[in-house]
């Protein structure tokens, strides 16, 4: 009864055709709890996850979707799944608009000429050859821009300077990413020539701008859009404070270039009792290009792969299949997650439970779930196994399934949220400092322990977690 109104819960049971009586609660058998506890303890002392993310970031490096390393990333994932002993390895194609970054420069032209460290945002338009110079108009917030008149904006470069602060749950990214995605679209509609923001990032002293996608969906709507590093945003704001007109030059050789077909890469540990029922976990294989995509999201791919490998190493296969998905192009709009959900929507009910890791490599500290009322007890059993390694169960929050798997959750897959400590995540997120040295192997091990233990218990559960078409459509309202 936590998140599902009674009526919805009742229709859910009808939808799943739960002939095995409405009062049957889902239970994790005692033997499975014991094995999950052993898996947890083994994973805490295991470095498989760290080795996988080291391999990916070293051997493939930056892997922007559709870029030169896209195919190498897929080849790496296929080979890694095989090397780890997964039973089945395959790909599913994902097609999306190709966006390319070739070069990017920025400078203050007047009143105090000097270079600016910036990076173009995904789906930004390029500037004309030789660059674009225009006066900057600053807005204090996204709301202020929404209320602006076209007269104030037309032909100018809009700038918004929202500064994110460090938080364990990273909630400032809600506003930071809204300014990055919605801001350029609003500015374009008002006739702006370009768009600049203070990076959606929490580092203070590093001239490393943070990239990320905009909300442009139509190349005709796109204008040049870029993020300044925090020190460069400070500099621009100091210059603006003189009260004189400030003009900036953007020289961005970026833009849309047709379409590209990549793929989700999937590895499975085949269930021995119900091979067609799956526990779905994963991360996204693509990264932004300035760094090597260690925390975003090499870590997530590695956590899920390592969890699958630990389950594979048990004396027997689990009852249900463990499916690990390395998603294509999450960064430019959940393309891999949407393709997966579209393809697998008819199998929603066969998705036992799922969630994706995509918030770095900090330790998991909170678990929440969107499951049918009769499965809450099983979630509480999982929580008991995870509590000794620092995971607190929050019964009041829904489970969103993570970034790409949120799309499958929206179709009706029962889902968890396993919230990681993101205190320092946005120091390195989407910038050149997202490299392997930011990952603590012990934190990785804790994440692997969480994923291995919960996945195994979900695979062994007697009963389901309530996956059914549309089962969790009220989730958003519950939060
Ligand atoms: Zn990510
Ligand atoms: Zn990202």
């Amino acid at each position: 009864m936590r998140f599902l109104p009674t009526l919805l819960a009742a229709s859910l049971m009808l939808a799943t055709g739960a002939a095995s009586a409405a009062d049957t609660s889902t239970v994790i058998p005692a033997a499975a709890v014991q094995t999950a506890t052993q898996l947890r303890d083994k994973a805490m002392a295991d470095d498989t996850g760290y080795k996988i993310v080291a391999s990916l970031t070293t051997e493939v490096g930056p892997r922007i979707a559709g870029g030169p390393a896209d195919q190498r990333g897929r080849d790496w994932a296929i080979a890694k799944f095989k090397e780890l002993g997964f039973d089945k390895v395959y790909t599913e194609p994902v097609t999306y608009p190709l966006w390319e970054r070739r070069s990017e420069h920025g400078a203050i032209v007047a009143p105090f000429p000097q270079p600016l460290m910036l990076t173009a945002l995904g789906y930004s338009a390029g500037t004309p050859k030789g660059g674009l110079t225009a006066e900057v108009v600053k807005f204090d917030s996204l709301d202020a821009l929404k209320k602006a008149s076209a007269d104030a904006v037309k032909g100018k470069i809009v700038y918004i300077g929202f500064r994110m602060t460090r938080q364990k749950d990273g909630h400032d990214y809600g506003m930071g990413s809204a300014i990055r995605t919605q801001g350029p679209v609003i500015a374009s509609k008002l006739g702006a020539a370009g768009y600049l923001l203070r990076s959606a990032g929490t580092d203070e002293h590093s001239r490393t701008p943070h990239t990320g996608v905009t909300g442009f969906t139509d190349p005709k709507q796109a204008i040049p859009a870029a993020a300044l590093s925090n020190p460069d945003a400070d500099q621009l704001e100091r210059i603006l404070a003189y009260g004189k007109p400030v003009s900036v030059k953007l020289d961005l050789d970026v833009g849309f270039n047709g379409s590209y077909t990549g793929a989700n890469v999937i590895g499975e540990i085949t269930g021995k009792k119900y091979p067609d029922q799956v526990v779905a976990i994963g991360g996204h294989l693509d990264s932004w290009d300035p760094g090597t995509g260690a925390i975003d999201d090499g870590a997530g791919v590695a956590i899920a792969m390592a969890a699958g490998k630990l389950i594979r190493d048990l004396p027997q296969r689990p009852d249900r299949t463990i499916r690990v998905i390395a998603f294509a192009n999450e960064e430019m709009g959940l393309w891999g997650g949407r393709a997966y959900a579209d393809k697998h929507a008819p199998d929603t009910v066969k998705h036992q439970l799922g969630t994706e890791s995509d918030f770095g490599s900090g330790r998991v500290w909170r678990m929440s779930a969107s499951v049918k009322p009769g499965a809450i007890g099983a979630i509480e059993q999982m929580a008991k196994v995870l509590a000794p390694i620092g995971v607190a169960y929050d019964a009041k929050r829904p489970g969103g399934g993570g970034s790409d798997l949120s799309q499958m959750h929206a179709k009706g897959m029962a889902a968890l949220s396993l919230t990681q400590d993101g205190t320092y995540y946005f120091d390195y997120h989407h910038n050149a400092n997202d490299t392997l040295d930011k990952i603590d192997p012990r934190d990785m091990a804790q994440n692997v322990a969480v994923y291995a233990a919960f996945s195994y218990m979900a695979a062994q559960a007697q009963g389901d977690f309530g996956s059914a078409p549309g089962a969790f459509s009220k989730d958003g309202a519950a939060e």
Side-chain angles (χ1 to χ4, degrees):
M1 301 297 281
R2 312 236 169 183
F3 311 113
L4 293 171
T6 316
L7 204 65
L8 183 61
S11 66
L12 188 154
M13 282 163 193
L14 287 175
T16 51
S20 50
D23 59 349
T24 305
S25 290
T26 301
V27 175
I28 319 285
V33 171
Q34 193 185 4
T35 303
T37 304
Q38 289 162 357
L39 267 174
R40 176 199 71 194
D41 294 342
K42 189 180 175 205
M44 288 297 282
D46 185 273
D47 63 356
T48 304
Y50 183 76
K51 279 182 178 156
I52 295 171
V53 67
S55 165
L56 174 60
T57 55
T58 306
E59 295 159 29
V60 183
R63 44 199 185 281
I64 191 170
D70 191 294
Q71 177 75 56
R72 276 202 293 133
R74 281 178 275 144
D75 292 345
W76 172 91
I78 291 165
K80 189 59 71 179
F81 276 129
K82 289 181 177 166
E83 180 193 323
L84 295 169
F86 279 66
D87 299 317
K88 199 173 157 196
V89 182
Y90 57 102
T91 61
E92 294 177 348
V94 181
T95 299
Y96 47 83
L98 178 62
W99 182 85
E100 294 177 328
R101 183 198 314 277
R102 291 172 289 266
S103 71
E104 52 194 17
H105 300 280
I108 290 170
V109 173
F112 310 128
Q114 55 190 287
L116 285 170
M117 303 296 279
L118 54 70
T119 187
L121 303 175
Y123 297 154
S124 165
T127 55
K129 258 203 163 44
L132 157 86
T133 301
E135 190 181 328
V136 173
V137 55
K138 176 174 178 274
F139 291 92
D140 290 333
S141 66
L142 191 60
D143 274 345
L145 175 62
K146 283 177 184 164
K147 288 179 195 138
S149 71
D151 287 348
V153 169
K154 204 167 175 47
K156 294 182 175 163
I157 295 172
V158 166
Y159 168 74
I160 299 183
F162 174 73
R163 185 193 284 276
M164 284 175 60
T165 57
R166 291 189 187 100
Q167 296 130 355
K168 194 175 184 182
D169 68 356
H171 63 261
D172 263 4
Y173 188 59
M175 180 51 72
S177 63
I179 289 168
R180 193 192 65 221
T181 54
Q182 298 170 34
V185 177
I186 298 165
S188 168
K189 282 184 182 149
L190 291 170
Y195 185 86
L196 278 175
L197 76 157
R198 176 188 288 277
S199 282
T202 51
D203 54 320
E204 291 142 358
H205 309 301
S206 176
R207 289 187 81 178
T208 46
H210 301 236
T211 189
V213 78
T214 62
F216 292 132
T217 51
D218 176 359
K220 289 195 275 298
Q221 170 198 42
I223 57 172
L228 294 169
S229 81
N230 267 315
D232 287 84
D234 293 340
Q235 182 80 324
L236 176 63
E237 289 180 20
R238 270 192 299 274
I239 295 174
L240 284 163
Y242 280 74
K244 298 174 186 165
V246 176
S247 59
V248 159
K249 179 176 175 181
L250 300 177
D251 192 353
L252 309 177
D253 181 9
V254 301
F256 288 92
N257 186 11
S259 69
Y260 184 89
T261 298
N264 293 330
V265 184
I266 300 172
E268 292 183 352
I269 308 299
T270 307
K272 67 175 188 320
K273 208 163 167 186
Y274 312 109
D276 63 336
Q277 296 181 20
V278 302
V279 177
I281 55 176
H284 64 84
L285 190 54
D286 68 309
S287 78
W288 280 107
D289 43 343
T292 61
I295 61 164
D296 187 14
D297 185 29
V301 170
I303 289 161
M305 278 185 169
K309 154 79 171 157
L310 281 164
I311 294 170
R312 182 227 170 254
D313 288 348
L314 292 169
Q316 291 194 332
R317 288 290 182 264
D319 285 351
R320 295 179 181 82
T321 291
I322 308 293
R323 177 178 290 169
V324 177
I325 309 148
F327 287 98
N329 199 355
E330 185 275 345
E331 292 293 5
M332 288 188 245
L334 302 175
W335 290 94
R338 288 189 282 141
Y340 180 88
D342 286 345
K343 183 175 172 64
H344 294 277
D347 319 323
T348 299
V349 75
K350 297 199 167 147
H351 283 69
Q352 172 80 341
L353 187 64
T355 195
E356 177 177 3
S357 172
D358 186 18
F359 201 61
S361 57
R363 293 188 181 218
V364 178
W365 59 277
R366 183 175 68 197
M367 175 176 88
S368 56
S370 289
V371 298
K372 68 178 187 182
I376 296 288
I379 295 295
E380 288 168 349
Q381 286 183 284
M382 291 181 185
K384 264 196 195 126
V385 174
L386 300 180
I389 55 170
V391 184
Y393 173 46
D394 185 339
K396 294 198 185 71
R397 304 176 70 88
S403 48
D404 296 282
L405 280 172
S406 69
Q407 301 302 298
M408 199 60 212
H409 178 51
K411 302 280 186 199
M413 178 187 76
L416 298 183
S417 275
L418 295 168
T419 312
Q420 292 164 286
D421 186 335
T423 306
Y424 297 101
Y425 183 59
F426 292 105
D427 279 25
Y428 315 120
H429 178 254
H430 296 183
N431 75 18
N433 284 332
D434 179 4
T435 48
L436 183 66
D437 51 290
K438 310 310 181 300
I439 294 182
D440 181 332
R442 290 161 302 180
D443 291 348
M444 279 296 285
Q446 189 261 11
N447 276 275
V448 175
V450 171
Y451 274 77
F454 110 74
S455 298
Y456 183 74
M457 287 186 277
Q460 302 305 106
Q462 284 169 1
D464 66 281
F465 289 83
S467 294
F472 302 101
S473 51
K474 294 280 196 297
D475 251 24
E479 208 171 1

